[in-house]
């Protein structure tokens, strides 16, 4: 087929035969995973833990988004809704209901799952660009809801969310404890996504991405598969948002705004659509960039726009996709 | 003054007029999107930014060069269309062979750049633009006062939309355009310069957005964000109407504006979301949109 006419060319070009590697991981992926685990273990002693936690929350968010765009070929332009609502509900549960952090995160994820079920049920009726526009419009609706609803605190957001004690025992006020919990949440989500895309269910998702009418003609109810993928993706985005609101103790309108939906698209695009490690690398690049350029105000938007344009025109495989194709491995 | 359904008539008609004005902008913007999508197969995410550029171009012409509203109505869209044509030539034209989603991502990036640059240059507070003297004042319609400028916006938008419909449906140029939308390769084989037509079509769609911006400048304050919130509603309008029909896009735009205005009267809290709710209902009942082809 033509080199990169579909949106996830990197993934197709570097796909490996099933059965190779361990637990669905290719050898290159196992090495990369090892590097990642070592990095996560060493990093908090070298870098600022709160920065790392922010990075991991966005990385999980981008991985969740990539599950849809990379493996089902659905571009959701409204993922901020699930990220932000997950954050709001987790914050509300921890602060007002006084629940422990693990329950708050579960509630955040469950809210996002419910929201994703409704939005996905509506949006999967159309494909391609219409799907993108519908998800964007539905997310804007969620945004307006959050502006008006009393429990979100409007412009102020939910502030002073307590981190609480994990399982009622381990105090998370200490950054290092919180860090290990965030690492656990991230790795859990990351491995779950990996498991999903390498399961028989994931194979059907990929066949829908490649040729939906054909998958239908083979007897798969493609809408059911797409809806489940949408719900899974929304849930993990909600978990990421919930974790982030616990880390920073605040949930605001920024996280449900369409600009956040754009940011997660950018992270995934920079890292490499349809690669397992791409969203993580993309999130690291964008979060680091925002950290260093925070004083530049609106120029950050301009720079993000330039990266968007550059990626689409010249760099469609993203960082990880380029490395993978250079080394001829799957990452 | 009489009440209608327990609502004071001036309030009702006032909101109805506001709804018509919003509808005028929805119609013009969704029309431009539909024209561009028809030929380029690209959702122009920069459409809101180009609407904003139109308003700013009018403001700059007045503030820096002393050129008034009427000339701005002609010059501003031309300037913005030229920038659009440059963008098409430099960037967008490279994507026609790729997945449509790349076009969406690229124009989204362009929108971020344009908005960011304007925000750096002009801040986000908004700049005032005076209503031209010929159009200031208000008519007394008996049941309400109607500001002349608002009436003008509705009439001008309607005229522009109908002119676009005539060009596309009734002229030879429009026939080429429709033919190229169906099968570009075949039209090219008949000796029509399709790439140039594509470029000019993009310019035309962008010019429509920019005229909308000039019309909007005296009503809303001229600020860098004025386009981005509007364009998301316009996307919902496009999904509701379907992009297949020009008249459908115009009709849907005005109708949804009116519905939004009425919602503001009867249930103000829902006015920001009503169009999105309608979109969801339409998708459940008629996934291809009211005027769309599946």
């Amino acid at each position: 087929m033509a080199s990169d006419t579909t949106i996830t060319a990197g993934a197709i070009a570097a796909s490996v035969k099933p059965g190779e590697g361990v637990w669905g991981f290719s050898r290159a992926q196992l090495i990369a995973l090892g590097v990642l685990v070592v990095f996560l273990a060493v990093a908090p002693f070298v870098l600022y833990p709160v920065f790392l936690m922010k990075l991991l929350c966005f990385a999980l968010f981008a991985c969740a988004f990539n599950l849809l765009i990379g493996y089902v070929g659905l571009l959701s332009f409204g993922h901020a809704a699930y990220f932000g609502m997950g954050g709001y509900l987790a914050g509300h549960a921890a602060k007002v209901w006084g629940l422990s952090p693990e329950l708050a995160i579960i509630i955040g994820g469950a809210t996002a799952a419910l929201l994703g079920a409704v939005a996905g049920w509506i949006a999967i009726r159309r494909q391609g660009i219409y799907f993108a526009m519908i998800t964007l419009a539905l997310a804007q609706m969620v945004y307006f809801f959050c502006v008006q609803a009393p429990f979100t605190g409007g412009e102020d957001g939910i502030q002073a969310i307590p981190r609480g004690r994990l399982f009622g025992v381990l105090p998370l006020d200490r950054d290092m404890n919180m860090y290990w919990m965030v690492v656990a949440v991230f790795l859990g989500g990351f491995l779950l996504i990996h498991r999903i895309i390498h399961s028989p269910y994931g194979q059907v998702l990929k066949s829908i991405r490649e040729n939906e009418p054909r998958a239908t003609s083979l007897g798969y109810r493609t809408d059911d598969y797409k809806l489940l993928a949408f719900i899974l993706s929304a849930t993990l985005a909600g978990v990421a948002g919930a974790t982030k609101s616990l880390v920073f103790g605040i949930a605001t309108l920024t996280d449900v705004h369409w600009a956040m939906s754009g940011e997660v698209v950018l992270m995934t695009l920079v890292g490499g659509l349809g690669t397992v490690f791409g969203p993580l690398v993309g999130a690291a690049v964008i979060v680091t960039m925002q950290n260093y350029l925070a004083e530049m105000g609106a120029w950050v938007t301009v720079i993000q726009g330039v990266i968007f344009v550059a990626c689409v025109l010249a760099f469609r495989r993203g960082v990880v996709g380029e490395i993978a194709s250079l080394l001829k491995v799957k990452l | 003054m009489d009440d209608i359904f327990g609502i004071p008539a001036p309030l009702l008609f006032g909101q109805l007029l506001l709804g018509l004005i919003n509808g005028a902008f929805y119609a013009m913007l969704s029309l431009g999107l539909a024209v561009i999508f028809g030929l380029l197969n690209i959702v122009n995410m920069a459409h809101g930014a180009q609407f904003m550029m139109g308003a700013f171009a009018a403001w700059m012409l007045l503030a820096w060069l002393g050129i008034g509203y009427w000339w701005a109505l002609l010059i501003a869209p031309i300037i913005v269309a030229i920038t659009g044509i440059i963008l098409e030539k430099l960037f967008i034209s490279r994507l026609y062979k790729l997945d449509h989603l790349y076009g969406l991502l690229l124009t989204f990036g362009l929108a971020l750049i344009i908005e960011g640059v304007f925000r750096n240059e002009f801040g986000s507070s908004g700049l005032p633009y005076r209503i031209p003297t010929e159009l200031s004042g208000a008519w007394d319609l008996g049941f309400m006062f109607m500001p002349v400028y608002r009436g003008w916006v509705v009439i001008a938008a309607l005229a522009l939309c109908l002119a676009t419909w005539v060009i596309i449906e009734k002229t030879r140029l429009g026939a080429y355009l429709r033919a190229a939308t169906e099968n570009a390769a075949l039209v090219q084989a008949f000796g029509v310069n399709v790439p140039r037509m594509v470029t000019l079509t993009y310019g035309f769609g962008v010019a429509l957005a920019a005229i909308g911006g000039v019309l909007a400048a005296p009503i809303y304050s001229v600020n860098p964000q004025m386009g981005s919130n509007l364009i998301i509603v316009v996307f919902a309008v496009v999904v509701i109407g379907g992009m297949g029909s020009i008249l459908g896009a115009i009709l849907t735009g005005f109708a949804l504006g009116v519905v939004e205005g009425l919602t503001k009267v009867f249930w103000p809290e829902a006015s920001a979301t009503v169009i999105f709710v309608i979109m969801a209902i339409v998708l459940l009942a008629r996934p291809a949109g009211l005027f769309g082809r599946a």
Side-chain angles (χ1 to χ4, degrees), chain B residues 5 17 38 83 109 148 180 186 208 243 288:
Chain B
F5 303 126
L17 177 64
T83 64
V148 177
L186 203 59
L208 266 180
M243 287 204 267

Side-chain angles (χ1 to χ4, degrees), chain B residues 34-209:
Chain B
V35 170
I36 291 173
F37 181 75
L39 198 56
L40 282 73
N41 272 325
I42 273 182
V43 180
N44 187 28
M45 291 283 274
H47 217 67
Q50 280 150 342
F51 168 83
M52 175 269 287
M53 282 172 84
F56 265 99
W59 181 86
M60 287 180 216
L61 285 171
L62 185 65
W64 296 350
L65 302 173
I67 295 174
Y69 178 80
W70 298 104
W71 280 108
L73 211 48
L74 181 70
I75 299 171
I78 293 177
I79 297 172
V80 180
I82 290 171
T83 64
I85 286 173
I86 294 170
L87 290 180
E88 197 276 342
K89 277 280 173 208
L90 282 180
F91 303 124
I92 301 173
S93 59
R94 293 162 195 268
L95 298 177
Y96 294 142
K97 290 197 178 70
L98 300 177
D99 194 303
H100 301 339
L101 294 177
Y102 281 119
L104 192 151
L105 296 178
L106 177 82
T107 48
F108 180 71
L110 293 174
L112 286 183
I113 297 174
I114 296 170
E115 273 190 30
V117 167
F118 274 86
R119 211 160 59 227
N120 276 305
E121 210 54 45
F122 298 96
S124 37
S125 52
L127 305 162
Y129 189 92
R130 231 172 349 93
I131 294 177
T133 42
E134 297 89 343
L135 296 174
S136 54
W139 290 315
D140 186 356
L141 300 181
F143 52 90
M144 66 175 287
F145 282 97
M146 167 132 127
V148 177
Y149 188 79
R150 308 207 157 193
W152 151 252
V153 168
V154 174
I155 293 166
L158 207 56
L160 272 168
C161 288
L162 290 178
T164 308
W165 176 75
V166 169
I167 291 172
I168 291 178
E169 297 291 337
K170 302 292 173 196
T171 66
R172 176 169 287 264
L173 184 69
Y176 287 157
L177 202 84
R178 280 177 290 136
T181 303
E182 290 293 326
N183 189 335
L186 203 59
V187 174
Q188 176 116 30
F190 285 138
V192 178
N193 186 344
V194 172
R196 193 173 65 195
M197 199 159 81
V198 166
T199 307
L200 291 177
T201 304
Y202 187 74
F204 177 75
V206 170
L208 266 180

Side-chain angles (χ1 to χ4, degrees), chain A residues 4-5 7 77 125-126 129-130 133-134 136-137 140-141 148 258 265 299 301-302 305-306 308 312-313 316, chain B residues 37 43 91 98-99 101-102 104-105 108-109 113 116-117 119-120 228 232 235 243 269 276 283-284 287-288:
Chain A
D4 46 8
T5 48
I7 196 132
F77 224 97
R125 282 152 209 271
R126 302 299 300 270
I129 49 137
Y130 280 100
M133 289 196 284
I134 293 164
L136 175 59
Q140 187 74 352
M141 190 165 134
Q148 291 175 345
W258 58 263
V265 179
W299 286 114
T301 320
V302 178
V306 171
F308 248 112
V312 170
L313 288 177
R316 278 185 287 274
Chain B
F37 181 75
V43 180
F91 303 124
L98 300 177
D99 194 303
L101 294 177
Y102 281 119
L104 192 151
L105 296 178
F108 180 71
I113 297 174
V117 167
R119 211 160 59 227
N120 276 305
S228 55
I232 299 179
F235 283 154
M243 287 204 267
E269 293 82 10
F276 302 122
L283 278 170
L284 296 179

